[in-house]
Amino acid sequence: MRRFLRPGHDPVRERLKRDLFQFNKTVEHGFPHQPSALGYSPFLRLMAIGTRSGAIKLYGAPGVEFMGLHEENNTVMQIHFIPDQCQLVTLLDDNSLHLWSLKQHSGASELREEHRFTLKGPPGSPPSATQITAVLPHSSREVLYLGTESGNIFVVELPSFRVLEDRTITSEAVLQRVPEDYCNRRSCELVEALWEHPKNPDQILIGYSRGLIVLWDLQNNKVTHHFLGSQQLENLYWQRDGSKFISCHYDGSYTQWPVSSDNRQPEPLENLVPYGPFPCKAISKIYWQTTKNGLPYIIFQGGMPRASYGDRHSISVVHGSQQTAFDFTSRVIDFFIIFSSEPTAEFDDPSAMVVLAEEELVVIDLKTAGWPAVHPPYLASLHCSAITCSHHVSNIPLKLWERIISAGSKQNIHYSNMPWPIDGGTNIAPDPPQRDLLLTGHEDGTVRFWDASGVCLHLLYKLSTVRVFLTDADPNDNMNTLGEDEWPPLRKVGTFDPYSDDPRLGIQKIYLCKYSGYLAVAGTAGQVLVMELNDEDAEHVVDHAEADLLQDQEGYRWKGHEKLKTRDGPVRFEAGFQPFVLVQCQPPAVVTSLALHSEWKLVAFGTSHGFGLFDHQQKRLVFVKCTLHPSDQLALEGPLSRVKSLKKSLRQSFRRIRRSRVSSRKRRGGSGNASEVQEANAKFDQDALQEMELAPVQRKIEARSAEDSFTGFVRTLYFADTFLRDSSRHCPSLWAGTNGGTVYAFCLRVPPAERRMDEPVRAEQAKEIQLMHRAPVVGILVLDGRSTPLPEPLEVAHDLSKSPDMQGSHQLLVVSEEQFKVFTLPKVSSKLKLKLTALEGCRVRKVTVANFGSCKTDDYSENDLAVLTNLGDIQIISLPFLKVQIRYPCIRKEDVSGIASCVFTKYGQGFYLISPSEFERFSLSTKWLVEPRCTVDMPEVTSNNHVHKSVMESAARKSRSSEDYGEDERKSGRLMEHALLNDEKVLKEIQSTLEGGR
């Protein structure tokens, strides 16, 4: 009777699925895409970065990360931390202000948006009247000063964002104390800069774009000093003692101004054009930092001669006779200096310069001679050269890990040893349970090894394949070498370099064996390099071999790029992975698939023309197999020169739709006469273009023609020790799947270890499977007698996996874009299949086996398939019964590059590119979860008490004249609150209450 029972809801399995599977997007690795603003809190020692898409990200000590997103998705223009608070204000390009706070929740800190506000002018006023250009959070932590395009300065109360209209500083009030002849020549125009006096919070420095600078008394609402600049103003900066300030200008000059105690007209102490006398670019920001030895640090952005260096993005550091202009490869967004923020300190003593460029973050050590760069623990520039592929390896053995780190440390000798200077917050996340590597291949022929174990994606080691080949660039060139007398003293910094010497160098496939240390890397021009790890520098000859995948077939002519030329003689390699053999595919097409078996010492590779097997121990080609179909002419045009024929594309599309129509009519059983068929075809030809413009929302699995282009494209390669000829003897085998739905299986005879160098590896084709629907094969997997995937090479030898069951019958799983199919071995008879939903046009893009452990018990885990489709959905499918367990939307279906870049890990996590410079990390497992978990505690306020007290008393006096008794009581309450803050005993007790109240 069981066969008549409908499959019902299994509560036990449903509970188990909840313990196994859970989808989370956990952390974004890499550098924020299109950064637009930078902020820093010396009090919290946190840095904030805003982007054009409205994201705001906070960074502190490694592992301390927070992210927020403005609902408006507008560009973040400015970021300002509230002094001595866990709060910050952002200004967007729609003129809105947003208040963010770090709040405690479930034992960790979270970034939350508290309030938003848009400054509005009186009815009928132009937008420029309230367009915010400068923001000053006052040290009282009670108000914001907002400079506008109209020259007026509005005062806004925190945290309510209430405009205090009676405290507005109008441009008319400012001009009352400015000489008339100056007023006639120049109006105030927009407010360019606002700075609070470092010693007197009752005074603020106001800079207007036309050059006028005034010192405004907040208590008496009047100008105490005015400074008449003759050049367009860019920015201001106070010196630490408040006796002088410095202004920088559009003509590339900066000026020192004294601030005297009397009301005499101040004259500039110094006016200097550092890179004159020829016309120079504007100096947009400047710092004047005092030191114990008396020589100040003068640090400014821009100022380069326009004619010769107008295209440079530079920041200059001057300290006595030492001067360097740091030259960045992308536009500088903003920068700040880390210096002593203790109010009792007499000098600034700068320690580091942090520069946010458009494509990377650069930190310069100002304490060490030569001012070297600091190696960042996060915010890595993943796209320093465009990412072309990625490969993840889980659970790296400690010995291999240490050797990779050792090789990387030899590359980082030019970096500073100073600790990371942005070290706010505390990382409370548990230590990573294992060591994971993420390898990225790049367009310039490099492979980068990233520590992907935890929240911070940290660069361990960089491998370059360029030395094997002859290119236009000399690898020994040093771009940073400067002559002693060169002026300006430019020094290139940063790693971002989007230009490739030769696009053929691009890395397309990577395969690393973590047990043997062998690495296979394949590229755009058909090059396959096999490497091994060496702890020392070495010089040796790289052996060459050619693999002719066309096998001298007539009628084929390669129209694409030529192969890369190789260097003759010995080549010197740095410590790390060093190539010892190069296999060159002919024609030199892009390598589309790669597999390495380090136990058998074999490497398999495939292109759009076929695949081959190479013995890298004997350095001998075992065999090649051509998979080209006579119609695969496009496969011979190459990716760098292919221009598809529109006529041919339309013809193929018409044929597909016509075959679909005809086959559907045949299934319906309708048999019309010839004239009806001709009429139907004619009507189809008329409507074809309109139909082709629409996306195929509904489609069923249709048999594809062998005439479709790229049917010989090799999509996947797989090594397995299984039963291929008969059920009594298992043998090594190589499996290959093509774009045309064909699976090839080869029996391999690998000599035993004692005769491995004496006898050749032999291969013989044993099977050829043609899927009826001819969909591209994207994955091949063999299951042992326990229906468990076969272990990786050398995994059993290292006691990290059970030996496969060779007693029971094995099964072959073939994953095509449209269905999953299980075959019995060795007969290759169909046993089970799962079709994807045809109504949605769903196709498999990525598939891997992942191990999912229960979050409730350590005793249970299972292997399942993690599948990514072209719709951006992730499905988990059970093995071996092919039951869909759960489905999660992960990537937008329009994000084709994100779907193509996705890589799964062995334990149910994954990475995909959300921008050219950022990986989104996600988890499908309840047990394996890597996400930021950190706290930011409010440090004790150590600033001078009288500084804040004077401003608060002044505000209280003004409020008594304009507010009722209740408001007056609230002000005095704040004074009491501030007094309590100075008592260490009660600080911790009221900390959370104060945070909530603020």
Side-chain angles (χ1 to χ4, degrees):
M1 294 292 293
R2 287 185 177 180
R3 68 184 183 204
F4 295 105
L5 295 175
R6 298 178 61 184
H9 182 76
D10 184 355
V12 177
R13 181 61 188 172
E14 291 301 317
R15 277 198 304 272
L16 184 58
K17 283 160 62 173
R18 287 195 294 271
D19 296 343
L20 293 172
F21 312 124
Q22 182 181 358
F23 178 74
N24 290 286
K25 291 186 177 180
T26 56
V27 65
E28 294 177 1
H29 295 301
F31 184 77
H33 185 50
Q34 295 181 329
S36 56
L38 177 67
Y40 177 68
S41 169
F43 177 68
L44 300 174
R45 299 185 70 84
L46 294 179
M47 172 180 64
I49 295 177
T51 70
R52 292 188 200 172
S53 59
I56 178 171
K57 301 185 179 185
L58 270 62
Y59 300 93
V64 177
E65 296 185 13
F66 302 95
M67 179 179 173
L69 185 64
H70 296 88
E71 291 182 4
E72 296 81 0
N73 290 340
N74 288 76
T75 299
V76 180
M77 302 298 292
Q78 296 183 37
I79 302 173
H80 299 273
F81 281 87
I82 307 300
D84 303 340
Q85 293 288 301
C86 291
Q87 292 181 314
L88 65 153
V89 171
T90 56
L91 172 66
L92 305 190
D93 64 351
D94 63 354
N95 207 42
S96 63
L97 287 167
H98 301 254
L99 179 66
W100 298 80
S101 296
L102 287 168
K103 298 285 189 180
Q104 295 289 330
H105 178 71
S106 300
S109 299
E110 290 183 352
L111 182 64
R112 298 179 187 173
E113 184 177 359
E114 299 287 330
H115 299 285
R116 64 186 64 189
F117 164 75
T118 300
L119 184 63
K120 296 179 181 179
S125 61
S128 62
T130 54
Q131 184 68 42
I132 300 171
T133 56
V135 179
L136 171 63
H138 196 268
S139 60
S140 66
R141 307 188 291 276
E142 293 197 343
V143 292
L144 290 177
Y145 290 90
L146 307 177
T148 62
E149 283 189 359
S150 63
N152 297 330
I153 299 169
F154 296 89
V155 185
V156 176
E157 190 178 44
L158 286 176
S160 63
F161 279 131
R162 184 170 66 92
V163 179
L164 305 178
E165 296 181 359
D166 59 314
R167 295 172 63 177
T168 300
I169 304 171
T170 64
S171 56
E172 290 79 10
V174 169
L175 292 175
Q176 287 177 2
R177 292 293 303 273
V178 178
E180 290 186 9
D181 59 337
Y182 190 88
C183 294
N184 293 335
R185 288 188 294 111
R186 299 171 182 274
S187 63
C188 287
E189 283 206 352
L190 63 87
V191 177
E192 200 70 61
L194 290 171
W195 285 85
E196 183 180 333
H197 194 292
K199 298 297 183 182
N200 184 1
D202 293 334
Q203 294 180 339
I204 61 172
L205 196 63
I206 307 171
Y208 296 93
S209 61
R210 284 293 182 92
L212 173 63
I213 306 167
V214 299
L215 189 61
W216 182 265
D217 187 336
L218 296 175
Q219 284 191 339
N220 301 311
N221 281 332
K222 67 175 185 178
V223 173
T224 61
H225 298 74
H226 59 267
F227 309 87
L228 306 180
S230 59
Q231 294 293 334
Q232 181 174 325
L233 181 70
E234 292 289 322
N235 218 323
L236 301 170
Y237 189 78
W238 277 107
Q239 292 188 26
R240 191 178 187 92
D241 60 1
S243 63
K244 295 187 285 290
F245 70 88
I246 193 166
S247 62
C248 55
H249 302 274
Y250 181 77
D251 66 342
S253 66
Y254 65 81
T255 305
Q256 274 198 80
W257 301 87
V259 180
S260 58
S261 57
D262 54 27
N263 292 329
R264 288 182 302 170
Q265 171 63 37
E267 294 293 332
L269 296 176
E270 180 185 27
N271 184 26
L272 184 65
V273 182
Y275 295 113
F278 301 106
C280 295
K281 293 177 66 178
I283 296 179
S284 56
K285 189 172 184 178
I286 192 165
Y287 280 85
W288 182 288
Q289 301 279 280
T290 57
T291 61
K292 294 177 183 178
N293 63 10
L295 293 174
Y297 278 85
I298 304 171
I299 304 168
F300 56 89
Q301 177 184 346
M304 284 282 141
R306 287 187 179 275
S308 304
Y309 301 95
D311 59 341
R312 300 298 181 99
H313 314 289
S314 68
I315 294 178
S316 299
V317 180
V318 183
H319 183 223
S321 61
Q322 187 179 2
Q323 180 168 347
T324 299
F326 294 99
D327 185 15
F328 300 87
T329 55
S330 58
R331 183 172 62 91
V332 174
I333 303 298
D334 200 355
F335 75 102
F336 61 84
I337 306 299
I338 297 177
F339 57 91
S340 176
S341 58
E342 291 293 329
T344 56
E346 187 177 353
F347 304 100
D348 293 310
D349 285 327
S351 58
M353 176 173 70
V354 181
V355 182
L356 176 67
E358 200 166 34
E359 305 292 352
E360 62 186 326
L361 183 81
V362 179
V363 179
I364 303 297
D365 178 3
L366 298 177
K367 288 288 189 183
T368 305
W371 300 333
V374 181
H375 195 54
Y378 49 71
L379 286 175
S381 182
L382 299 174
H383 64 316
C384 44
S385 175
I387 294 176
T388 49
C389 67
S390 54
H391 174 66
H392 188 274
V393 188
S394 299
N395 207 7
I396 302 293
L398 179 60
K399 186 175 181 181
L400 176 64
W401 186 264
E402 291 175 342
R403 294 177 70 189
I404 291 174
I405 290 177
S406 174
S409 63
K410 295 176 182 177
Q411 296 177 335
N412 296 332
I413 57 174
H414 301 297
Y415 282 102
S416 167
N417 293 322
M418 88 175 298
W420 183 244
I422 305 167
D423 55 2
T426 305
N427 179 17
I428 60 173
D431 292 334
Q434 60 186 28
R435 295 169 293 273
D436 288 354
L437 275 179
L438 179 66
L439 282 68
T440 54
H442 297 264
E443 192 180 43
D444 62 354
T446 59
V447 178
R448 285 171 168 81
F449 290 64
W450 305 93
D451 178 1
S453 312
V455 171
C456 297
L457 195 68
H458 181 60
L459 181 64
L460 299 178
Y461 165 68
K462 184 180 82 168
L463 162 71
S464 177
T465 62
V466 178
R467 287 185 178 272
V468 180
F469 306 102
L470 287 170
T471 59
D472 294 336
D474 184 352
N476 297 316
D477 284 347
N478 188 352
M479 299 296 290
N480 293 333
T481 303
L482 288 176
E484 293 183 0
D485 300 327
E486 184 170 338
W487 189 263
L490 289 166
R491 188 175 108 198
K492 191 172 287 294
V493 288
T495 60
F496 179 72
D497 184 10
Y499 306 107
S500 173
D501 297 324
D502 193 327
R504 296 174 296 173
L505 290 168
I507 306 298
Q508 297 296 330
K509 294 292 175 183
I510 306 169
Y511 197 104
L512 171 66
C513 175
K514 61 186 178 184
Y515 303 111
S516 65
Y518 282 115
L519 173 68
V521 172
T524 302
Q527 70 271 29
V528 179
L529 287 163
V530 185
M531 312 185 189
E532 59 184 345
L533 192 55
N534 191 343
D535 297 328
E536 302 295 335
D537 294 2
E539 187 172 0
H540 60 258
V541 176
V542 178
D543 292 298
H544 298 83
E546 284 211 351
D548 182 11
L549 297 175
L550 292 183
Q551 297 175 309
D552 299 325
Q553 295 193 32
E554 297 181 359
Y556 292 104
R557 186 171 62 87
W558 172 247
K559 303 174 186 176
H561 50 262
E562 296 180 352
K563 68 176 184 178
L564 285 161
K565 295 179 180 178
T566 57
R567 294 181 182 272
D568 297 326
V571 182
R572 184 161 189 82
F573 297 101
E574 297 176 341
F577 287 94
Q578 299 173 352
F580 61 89
V581 67
L582 165 67
V583 182
Q584 178 63 57
C585 299
Q586 289 289 5
V590 174
V591 177
T592 57
S593 54
L594 185 68
L596 177 71
H597 201 293
S598 49
E599 188 174 358
W600 301 337
K601 304 292 193 298
L602 299 175
V603 60
F605 48 88
T607 71
S608 54
H609 308 121
F611 60 96
L613 181 66
F614 186 80
D615 178 355
H616 64 76
Q617 184 167 0
Q618 292 189 8
K619 298 174 183 176
R620 171 184 166 273
L621 188 66
V622 179
F623 78 90
V624 292
K625 170 71 176 178
C626 181
T627 56
L628 271 182
H629 188 272
S631 66
D632 278 352
Q633 291 300 320
L634 285 179
L636 293 168
E637 293 184 6
L640 303 180
S641 62
R642 183 172 72 247
V643 180
K644 292 182 70 173
S645 165
L646 176 62
K647 188 182 295 184
K648 185 169 184 177
S649 299
L650 289 172
R651 188 185 307 122
Q652 290 174 345
S653 301
F654 288 154
R655 286 176 180 171
R656 285 197 195 100
I657 299 175
R658 185 177 289 121
R659 282 198 303 272
S660 175
R661 295 274 181 101
V662 172
S663 60
S664 62
R665 282 198 297 270
K666 287 180 179 178
R667 281 194 296 272
R668 288 196 300 268
S671 57
N673 55 32
S675 61
E676 291 175 348
V677 174
Q678 289 177 359
E679 289 177 5
N681 287 341
K683 187 177 186 303
F684 160 74
D685 289 333
Q686 292 174 1
D687 300 336
L689 283 175
Q690 294 179 349
E691 290 190 16
M692 287 179 61
E693 290 174 358
L694 302 175
V697 177
Q698 293 187 354
R699 65 176 303 280
K700 294 185 178 180
I701 297 178
E702 298 287 350
R704 307 187 188 193
S705 169
E707 296 178 2
D708 290 352
S709 295
F710 291 108
T711 55
F713 186 115
V714 180
R715 293 285 291 268
T716 183
L717 291 164
Y718 178 71
F719 286 107
D721 187 356
T722 187
F723 301 93
L724 196 53
R725 291 195 177 278
D726 56 58
S727 56
S728 60
R729 290 178 301 171
H730 57 89
C731 65
S733 62
L734 172 65
W735 301 76
T738 72
N739 218 40
T742 306
V743 177
Y744 300 95
F746 281 76
C747 278
L748 307 178
R749 192 180 85 63
V750 181
E754 61 272 13
R755 301 195 304 273
R756 184 65 179 81
M757 289 299 294
D758 302 326
E759 299 180 10
V761 176
R762 301 191 182 278
E764 182 181 355
Q765 183 169 340
K767 306 286 183 185
E768 181 174 337
I769 308 168
Q770 178 62 61
L771 301 180
M772 294 299 293
H773 57 291
R774 298 183 183 273
V777 177
V778 296
I780 297 173
L781 182 68
V782 172
L783 307 176
D784 68 6
R786 293 188 294 263
S787 298
T788 302
L790 295 182
E792 296 179 13
L794 295 175
E795 192 172 12
V796 175
H798 285 75
D799 296 326
L800 296 172
S801 176
K802 294 180 180 179
S803 297
D805 184 356
M806 293 298 183
Q807 304 302 318
S809 60
H810 285 197
Q811 301 172 79
L812 171 69
L813 171 63
V814 177
V815 182
S816 74
E817 282 190 353
E818 297 172 349
Q819 72 177 19
F820 301 78
K821 199 162 187 177
V822 175
F823 299 88
T824 60
L825 288 176
K827 291 185 179 180
V828 194
S829 57
S830 178
K831 180 181 179 182
L832 183 67
K833 69 179 175 182
L834 169 67
K835 292 184 180 180
L836 295 187
T837 306
L839 294 177
E840 298 177 357
C842 186
R843 294 186 179 185
V844 176
R845 284 290 178 258
K846 305 277 182 175
V847 61
T848 194
V849 176
N851 182 268
F852 293 91
S854 171
C855 62
K856 296 291 181 64
T857 175
D858 294 334
D859 299 333
Y860 183 80
S861 66
E862 65 181 42
N863 291 308
D864 296 290
L865 290 177
V867 179
L868 175 69
T869 72
N870 63 324
L871 303 179
D873 294 334
I874 291 179
Q875 301 182 24
I876 299 175
I877 299 173
S878 66
L879 286 174
F881 301 111
L882 301 183
K883 299 292 185 183
V884 177
Q885 301 300 296
I886 205 156
R887 174 178 174 178
Y888 302 111
C890 180
I891 311 174
R892 292 181 302 107
K893 64 180 180 181
E894 297 84 9
D895 187 5
V896 179
S897 60
I899 293 172
S901 65
C902 183
V903 56
F904 289 108
T905 77
K906 192 177 178 180
Y907 294 99
Q909 297 184 65
F911 303 80
Y912 69 93
L913 287 172
I914 54 175
S915 74
S917 59
E918 291 173 289
F919 273 114
E920 176 82 69
R921 186 176 192 141
F922 62 87
S923 175
L924 307 171
S925 170
T926 57
K927 188 174 182 180
W928 301 92
L929 193 66
V930 176
E931 61 180 349
R933 186 168 174 79
C934 44
T935 62
V936 176
D937 297 323
M938 175 85 87
E940 291 187 7
V941 181
T942 58
S943 56
N944 292 338
N945 296 331
H946 74 275
V947 171
H948 291 161
K949 186 176 178 182
S950 64
V951 177
M952 291 176 136
E953 289 176 345
S954 172
R957 285 197 302 270
K958 291 179 182 177
S959 68
R960 289 191 184 100
S961 63
S962 59
E963 304 289 342
D964 59 10
Y965 175 77
E967 183 70 14
D968 181 47
E969 192 176 36
R970 186 173 64 85
K971 291 284 186 179
S972 61
R974 286 187 180 173
L975 288 171
M976 292 179 63
E977 175 189 298
H978 185 73
L980 287 173
L981 281 175
N982 295 320
D983 189 346
E984 293 184 7
K985 295 181 180 179
V986 298
L987 179 62
K988 294 183 178 179
E989 297 178 12
I990 66 173
Q991 179 177 334
S992 58
T993 306
L994 287 177
E995 286 179 354
R998 297 293 177 195

